[in-house]
Amino acid sequence: MAKYRNYVIAQSLEEAYALNQKKSSVIVAGNMWLRMCGLNKQKAIDLSALGLDGIVEMEDAFVVGAMAPLRAMETHEGLNRAFGGAFKKAFAPIVGTQFRNMATVGASVYSRFGFSDVSALLLALNAEVILYKRGAVKLAEYQKEAWDRDIVVQIRIPKGQCAAVQSVRVSATDIPTLVCAASKSDAGMRIVLGARPARAVVVAEGLAPDAPQRVYEEIASQVTFGTNLRASDTYRKKIAPVLMARAVKACQEVAADER
Ligand SMILES: Cc1cc2nc3c(=O)[nH]c(=O)nc-3n(C[C@H](O)[C@H](O)[C@H](O)COP(=O)(O)OP(=O)(O)OC[C@H]3O[C@@H](n4cnc5c(N)ncnc54)[C@H](O)[C@@H]3O)c2cc1C
């Protein structure tokens, strides 16, 4: 259980940022992860009064507020229309509906969990993270960085591409053993592997959609996989090419449906 001595509902991002500079403070979003961490903090900073839970469709991108629950993205008609239903399919296996009504996208992106379906899909879609102090940063860069005390304000997802996600799980709502997200744009296929178990990474860019299976095997041979309770590195390396091929095929099917 997490314990907070003071609970502050921030009235501005500047206030939230200033309070968050102290190590004794913590930003609380859905509190689904934090409440399991046994934290004992002086101050919880709640962002819920800042109107950061919207999903806005622009001409060239979707802009999703950091406090948008995963469920809102999963069920968002515009997002799913634009990206071939990828959000619905990728987020549905995450724990359960009530959970996804609470867990937020900003916290998922900030946390850079080594099992994240959310980061894998957003990375495949070449999303940008909008931070309060630093401004826009490519998620591909942000994924490599250490946790800092800036605030994730929005996620920007460029249009003009479709995506598909494949994951392997020991049981239906468990965290993934391996996740693969593929996207297709004018620049070709982009493939991401997550739950290796380590932060999701882009493993291929500009790949031809009809690449033979040996190409996926070659890609997987270059990726570092680890062993944990769910699977060994050998198992992950073995199934990675299969997941990649399936994700690319699913992405191709979505692209064909859209034509
Ligand atoms: C039991 C369990 C199973 C899960 N299974 C999966 C899974 O299968 N797939 C998957 O993709 N994810 C999974 N997750 C992760 C989940 O999707 C969320 O990422 C996680 O719960 C964090 O979301 P939250 O809103 O609850 O954040 P919180 O618990 O409130 O915060 C998490 C962290 O993010 C920080 N934070 C929150 N918002 C911001 C912000 N705007 N800017 C900067 N920092 C911020 C907090 O300070 C904290 O460090 C699981 C989580 C749990 C607890």
Side-chain angles (χ1 to χ4, degrees), residues 1 12 70 73-74 88 90 131 139 144 171 198 233 240 242 245:
M1 196 174 79
S12 67
L70 300 184
M73 296 180 75
E74 175 191 344
K88 188 172 174 8
L131 297 161
L139 179 58
K144 295 178 196 156
S171 61
D233 54 351
V242 179

Side-chain angles (χ1 to χ4, degrees), residues 7-140:
Y7 193 90
V8 180
I9 301 179
Q11 299 304 309
S12 67
L13 276 167
E14 184 54 39
E15 182 193 6
Y17 179 82
L19 292 172
N20 196 41
Q21 297 319 296
K22 284 202 169 164
K23 282 196 174 153
S24 55
S25 300
V26 67
I27 291 186
V28 177
N31 200 30
M32 304 307 277
W33 180 261
L34 277 178
R35 70 187 176 144
M36 303 198 322
C37 293
L39 286 181
N40 196 344
K41 290 279 185 183
Q42 200 62 26
K43 202 161 276 160
I45 309 160
D46 182 334
L47 305 180
S48 62
L50 302 178
L52 295 178
D53 56 352
I55 302 175
V56 179
E57 181 167 3
M58 318 285 279
E59 206 180 316
D60 60 344
F62 281 85
V63 178
V64 183
M67 290 292 281
L70 300 184
R71 178 75 177 159
M73 296 180 75
E74 175 191 344
T75 56
H76 193 272
E77 201 265 325
L79 266 182
N80 282 298
R81 183 184 8 89
F83 302 111
F87 285 92
K88 188 172 174 8
K89 286 183 197 136
F91 290 6
I94 303 175
V95 189
T97 308
Q98 291 92 333
F99 179 91
R100 299 193 300 278
N101 272 324
M102 299 296 293
T104 62
V105 67
S108 299
V109 165
Y110 172 80
S111 299
R112 288 157 275 193
F113 295 118
F115 54 80
S116 183
D117 298 276
V118 179
S119 300
L121 175 56
L122 291 172
L123 197 50
L125 288 170
N126 201 12
E128 265 180 352
V129 187
I130 319 298
L131 297 161
Y132 177 61
K133 278 291 162 190
R134 276 170 69 196
V137 181
K138 285 275 181 204
L139 179 58

